[in-house]
Amino acid sequence: MAPSNLFSRLNESLLRFKILYFTSIGIVSTLKTYMQLFMKQLGLNPYQVGVLLCITQLTGFCLSICVGFIVDRFRIRKPCLITAFTIMILSLLGLSFAFSYNVETSCENVQAQFNQSFSLYCQHHSECTEQDFVATDRSWLYTEYRIRYTMYKLFVFLLPLEVCFISTYALLDVFTMNVLQKDTDQLPFQRAFGALGWGCINFIASFIMSLTKSNIQYCGIAVSVVDFSYMFIFLIIIISITLPLVVTIKPIEHNTNASHSLQLDNDTLKGITNFLRNWRNLMFILGDGILVGTLYGFKIAFVFWRVDDLGGGKKLLGVAIIIHGAMEFIVGILGSKLLQLFSCVQIIAFGAFMYALDFFGYAVMQTPIWTLVLQAIEGVAFFCTYIFGLVYIANTTHPRSLASITFMFSSSYVSLGRSMGSSVGGTLVQKFGIQNAFMMYSVFATILSVLLGTTDLLTRKNHKPEANIDDRVGSDISLDQTALIGQLPESDSEQMANYGSSNN
């Protein structure tokens, strides 16, 4: 193939993935941003939100680990991505129409629950008004049975969404890594287009919700209600438009000798074992995947809850999210330069410190306008900890186990870590108040940043950081090194093994 033709094909593939990053990450981030406010409007308190998210994300983590191994073992990356998009459409349809805001109790009970909840609220706040209370609590509108039933239904729709989120993130990253091959320092730039989707689609969703906001009288008590169904339908439309791009993906084909097929299947598990056998990699999964994921989980669950408490409107949230996405995009543009100056672990440690600054700001802020600055800090924190974590994986993992390790990291960060962050955070918010909870997480993020930086300093002398793709094969993996770019020695029994097709 002529170099010019190869260059054209490469750019076409990367353009497709830029669009998919833009739409899919925008959709996922919108749901993660506003799902907590949706639950809040349905009557769940911070503790219940934390418990529901913990169960959903912990279950999603276990399922995602299994999905990652199956995807690599049976080479069904593309079918899995198509299935994930389809399930997201079905789950969003359920969220759009399966819930009602009607209060299923008498006005006498509503008034009694309101007075009781308002009295409890004022015990923790020296200056409180009914307007402030309504902005932070809806549980008094519903019976205990109604809220419990709502939690069960939310779990049914959120669990498949959680697994689909991880599958979408991980598989798009794997496809992009395959196209980039050894130019993995360009991954942050490709991922930066997802940051644009994070800002743009979130902003449009916030604008839609601002149009559907209305004040409703429940038994003489004024309540502000947003019709989230329009937001869900908007996201369904975007997924439906994006799905044809997924269907037409042409996964990179790897030439393999028929006699090597069993060996390739064994190398999926062997590659995972080799990765986890390295204690530096284990520290990476624990520190960046799980512990930094707890910071992300708390942020996702309660940042906009905090802003909502201070009276921040949906338009303000929309502008803040655009700033968040813009900062991610800037870091992505500078990604290759940063990798020339610092190791991935150093960049991750810096991202954890940015989380510490972010949480401290939310703890002490007195007006929601601060959110604009804090979201800029948050954009840097997320991109440095998550995206550069993917670069670390791309440079240390065998291609036959790339999806498995990527699923492991992504599910650790956005599911297991997030479940811990949201559940522990919900308990802390319920017991100590949201400001104190943010301060506690700020201290934790500072300590974690120091630990990550120290780990990198202690291990760098005995570890070759971020090797090129040609150096990724472990010493006990018996594949020819050329298999890393999909080229095994030719023979008469040669066959094509499509790593994104189920026809194998």
Side-chain angles (χ1 to χ4, degrees):
M1 180 180 293
S4 59
N5 292 335
L6 178 61
F7 183 79
S8 176
R9 179 181 176 184
L10 184 65
N11 280 342
E12 180 184 353
S13 299
L14 290 177
L15 176 61
R16 183 189 306 274
F17 292 122
K18 286 182 178 73
I19 296 173
L20 287 172
Y21 275 134
F22 180 88
T23 56
S24 61
I25 292 178
I27 291 166
V28 172
S29 66
T30 299
L31 289 172
K32 289 180 178 179
T33 298
Y34 293 110
M35 190 57 66
Q36 286 71 35
L37 298 184
F38 179 60
M39 296 179 191
K40 179 181 181 182
Q41 185 164 286
L42 292 174
L44 277 66
N45 61 38
Y47 175 76
Q48 291 167 330
V49 170
V51 169
L52 179 60
L53 291 178
C54 176
I55 296 173
T56 302
Q57 292 154 8
L58 190 58
T59 307
F61 167 77
C62 297
L63 293 176
S64 298
I65 293 293
C66 297
V67 170
F69 178 77
I70 292 172
V71 164
D72 265 341
R73 173 63 175 78
F74 297 101
R75 302 189 288 276
I76 53 173
R77 294 174 181 176
K78 179 178 173 180
C80 181
L81 188 59
I82 295 174
T83 302
F85 272 71
T86 304
I87 292 176
M88 279 198 288
I89 292 175
L90 297 177
S91 298
L92 287 173
L93 283 172
L95 290 173
S96 300
F97 302 108
F99 297 90
S100 171
Y101 301 115
N102 295 328
V103 181
E104 295 184 1
T105 187
S106 67
C107 283
E108 182 179 346
N109 289 337
V110 168
Q111 292 285 356
Q113 290 182 67
F114 173 80
N115 292 332
Q116 181 182 15
S117 297
F118 184 61
S119 298
L120 291 174
Y121 174 79
C122 287
Q123 290 177 10
H124 297 89
H125 298 78
S126 58
E127 296 181 2
C128 58
T129 66
E130 291 188 5
Q131 183 178 1
D132 293 333
F133 173 73
V134 170
T136 58
D137 195 349
R138 296 286 189 276
S139 60
W140 50 270
L141 281 170
Y142 305 95
T143 62
E144 183 179 348
Y145 169 79
R146 171 72 173 174
I147 293 177
R148 190 183 308 116
Y149 180 62
T150 297
M151 291 181 68
Y152 292 151
K153 288 202 299 183
L154 283 169
F155 177 79
V156 170
F157 294 116
L158 291 180
L159 178 58
L161 273 178
E162 187 67 30
V163 178
C164 290
F165 290 165
I166 299 171
S167 299
T168 301
Y169 274 142
L171 289 172
L172 286 179
D173 291 330
V174 169
F175 280 129
T176 305
M177 291 174 196
N178 284 340
V179 174
L180 290 172
Q181 294 186 7
K182 57 185 177 181
D183 296 325
T184 51
D185 61 324
Q186 295 300 316
L187 180 60
F189 175 74
Q190 308 305 322
R191 248 329 195 107
F193 288 85
L196 291 181
W198 177 295
C200 295
I201 294 178
N202 254 299
F203 177 78
I204 296 173
S206 67
F207 179 75
I208 291 173
M209 286 188 291
S210 68
L211 296 178
T212 63
K213 183 178 180 180
S214 60
N215 293 323
I216 299 177
Q217 290 284 332
Y218 282 125
C219 302
I221 302 172
V223 179
S224 177
V225 175
V226 175
D227 192 343
F228 285 87
S229 298
Y230 290 96
M231 181 195 74
F232 294 135
I233 293 172
F234 164 66
L235 298 180
I236 290 172
I237 293 173
I238 293 184
I239 295 176
S240 301
I241 295 173
T242 306
L243 189 56
L245 285 177
V246 179
V247 174
T248 56
I249 285 178
K250 296 179 180 179
I252 293 180
E253 294 182 333
H254 294 246
N255 294 327
T256 72
N257 189 292
S259 63
H260 289 278
S261 59
L262 179 59
Q263 180 178 315
L264 284 171
D265 292 337
N266 291 337
D267 281 335
T268 297
L269 182 58
K270 190 175 292 185
I272 298 173
T273 303
N274 281 353
F275 181 86
L276 296 178
R277 189 179 296 168
N278 186 312
W279 79 275
R280 179 183 171 90
N281 294 340
L282 281 176
M283 292 299 295
F284 163 76
I285 292 293
L286 174 63
D288 189 28
I290 299 176
L291 296 182
V292 175
T294 62
L295 305 178
Y296 173 74
F298 178 73
K299 174 194 79 73
I300 286 291
F302 296 107
V303 159
F304 288 136
W305 193 301
R306 169 73 169 144
V307 176
D308 195 44
D309 285 351
L310 292 174
K314 301 298 184 295
K315 289 183 179 179
L316 174 66
L317 297 184
V319 174
I321 290 168
I322 284 184
I323 294 174
H324 180 289
M327 289 306 299
E328 281 196 42
F329 184 77
I330 292 172
V331 177
I333 295 295
L334 300 175
S336 60
K337 296 293 184 183
L338 292 174
L339 288 169
Q340 293 174 8
L341 300 173
F342 308 100
S343 71
C344 286
V345 179
Q346 287 177 323
I347 297 173
I348 291 167
F350 173 75
F353 179 71
M354 295 300 284
Y355 268 132
L357 292 180
D358 185 44
F359 293 155
F360 178 78
Y362 280 110
V364 301
M365 76 176 189
Q366 301 297 319
T367 172
I369 199 67
W370 288 22
T371 308
L372 300 179
V373 176
L374 296 177
Q375 281 294 303
I377 297 175
E378 189 177 305
V380 176
F382 174 78
F383 204 92
C384 287
T385 54
Y386 185 77
I387 307 305
F388 286 93
L390 293 172
V391 176
Y392 179 94
I393 291 173
N395 291 330
T396 55
T397 306
H398 189 278
R400 279 296 287 138
S401 57
L402 184 58
S404 301
I405 301 299
T406 303
F407 267 77
M408 183 184 300
F409 171 71
S410 296
S411 59
S412 296
Y413 193 107
V414 303
S415 283
L416 179 60
R418 195 164 124 238
S419 69
M420 295 168 59
S422 58
S423 59
V424 174
T427 303
L428 293 176
V429 169
Q430 191 76 7
K431 187 172 183 179
F432 300 104
I434 196 165
Q435 289 179 269
N436 290 330
F438 269 103
M439 189 63 72
M440 293 176 187
Y441 267 91
S442 177
V443 174
F444 173 63
T446 302
I447 296 173
L448 183 56
S449 174
V450 173
L451 290 176
L452 287 168
T454 303
T455 299
D456 180 71
L457 182 63
L458 293 176
T459 60
R460 196 184 312 170
K461 292 181 179 179
N462 300 318
H463 179 84
K464 183 181 179 181
E466 291 83 48
N468 286 329
I469 189 168
D470 294 329
D471 303 320
R472 287 187 212 161
V473 183
S475 58
D476 58 343
I477 292 182
S478 57
L479 279 175
D480 186 284
Q481 189 175 8
T482 53
L484 291 173
I485 55 174
Q487 302 293 329
L488 284 174
E490 296 182 359
S491 72
D492 294 336
S493 57
E494 184 177 76
Q495 66 177 9
M496 299 300 292
N498 188 336
Y499 279 72
S501 172
S502 59
N503 299 324
N504 292 288

